[in-house]
Amino acid sequence: MKRTIIAGNWKMNKTVAETKALIKEIAPLVAGAKCEVVVCVPFTDLDIARKALRGTDIKLGAQNVHWAPKGAFTGEISAEMLKELKVEYVIIGHSERRQYFGETDETVNKRAKAALEYSLKPIICVGETLAEREAGKTAEVVIRQINGAFAGIEKLSLKRIVVAYEPVWAIGTGKTATPQDANETIAVIRKALRKLYGKTASRALRIQYGGSMNPKNATELMAMPEIDGGLIGGASLKAEDFAKVVNY
Ligand code: PEP
């Protein structure tokens, strides 16, 4: 049985002091959760988060990683730097990075490989825009993103990767994909992975849904057979809401 995984994506929110306080609030509310719980905090909060998470089962995640081991890449952070801070998961290819920071399928692939090299666990994000959905291109887009992200990644690494299906039009908008729609697109993603890695490996890989997931819709979404977890933005910033999603 795979264990479901709920990860909070804090994006560019929370100072060091706020991070410490929020983790203190979250920890008792999610203790003993049936799913794996992750918080992906800003780079500047990783160290305090690492300390605040000691003695809990909550895993630490970052929100990006550069592909080079070191060098002249102003503003970037390497996998080794994350590893030093005991980071376990790292979000790669979030739609906000694709939209505002020129992230492409190729750079997603390079980042994922660098993360794997340092034993980090990538959470690879894919998802279509509203225009792509309306043009009937959802399947085509997610298949292209999956093929791009996984190029040259060997089957052995698959067990350390999580995929997040996040329709761009559902992120931070309050609009959620219906559980059936999310399930259907995740099935398309799994089929693409099956073509690359075979049935057993693609079945074992966890695929999250993300996009305005909250305490009200989490149970319904998590009941879908293809959905193995959630990537939670807005609702991860309030301890009670995040805990309700975790305890779906
Ligand atoms: C996200 O940013 O990954 C996300 C799913 O955001 P929200 O839950 O706010 O839609």
Side-chain angles (χ1 to χ4, degrees), residues 9 11 91 94-96 125 166 170-175 209-214 231-236:
N9 174 15
K11 312 194 185 190
I91 298 173
H94 190 278
S95 67
E96 286 150 16
C125 302
E166 299 207 304
I171 296 179
T173 58
K175 290 183 197 155
Y209 167 77
S212 299
M213 196 163 164
N214 59 47
L231 185 55
I232 322 297
S236 71

Side-chain angles (χ1 to χ4, degrees), residues 9 12-13 31 40 44 48 57 68 71 97 109 111 118 126 137 142 145 149 171 175-176 191 199 202-203 208 216 218:
N9 174 15
M12 196 176 71
N13 293 292
C40 300
T44 47
I48 192 75
D57 285 333
R97 296 217 56 90
N109 177 246
R111 292 183 203 278
Y118 280 85
V126 299
K137 291 188 169 159
V142 296
Q145 290 172 332
I171 296 179
K175 290 183 197 155
T176 325
K191 202 170 158 193
K199 195 170 167 181
S202 64
R203 272 204 184 154
Q208 301 171 310
K216 288 200 185 104

Side-chain angles (χ1 to χ4, degrees), residues 139-200:
E140 184 188 318
V141 169
V142 296
I143 292 168
R144 189 205 69 221
Q145 290 172 332
I146 288 291
N147 287 335
F150 284 82
I153 290 180
E154 52 181 49
K155 194 171 174 176
L156 259 181
S157 300
L158 221 59
K159 54 180 177 297
R160 289 196 286 119
I161 302 178
V162 174
V163 169
Y165 166 56
E166 299 207 304
V168 180
W169 49 271
I171 296 179
T173 58
K175 290 183 197 155
T176 325
T178 65
Q180 291 72 22
D181 277 348
N183 194 67
E184 200 178 300
T185 307
I186 291 178
V188 169
I189 291 168
R190 207 179 296 282
K191 202 170 158 193
L193 288 162
R194 183 175 163 169
K195 272 198 176 164
L196 296 173
Y197 299 103
K199 195 170 167 181
T200 312

Side-chain angles (χ1 to χ4, degrees), residues 29-83:
L29 301 178
V30 304
K34 60 178 180 259
C35 65
E36 192 173 357
V37 185
V38 187
V39 287
C40 300
V41 306
F43 290 137
T44 47
D45 296 331
L46 286 170
D47 195 39
I48 192 75
R50 171 177 68 91
K51 290 172 186 148
L53 290 173
R54 268 188 208 138
T56 78
D57 285 333
I58 306 171
K59 312 280 176 58
L60 181 59
Q63 299 172 15
N64 194 16
V65 61
H66 197 261
W67 54 83
K70 61 171 70 177
F73 299 102
T74 304
E76 293 289 327
I77 300 287
S78 75
E80 188 183 14
M81 291 167 181
L82 296 181
K83 205 63 201 164

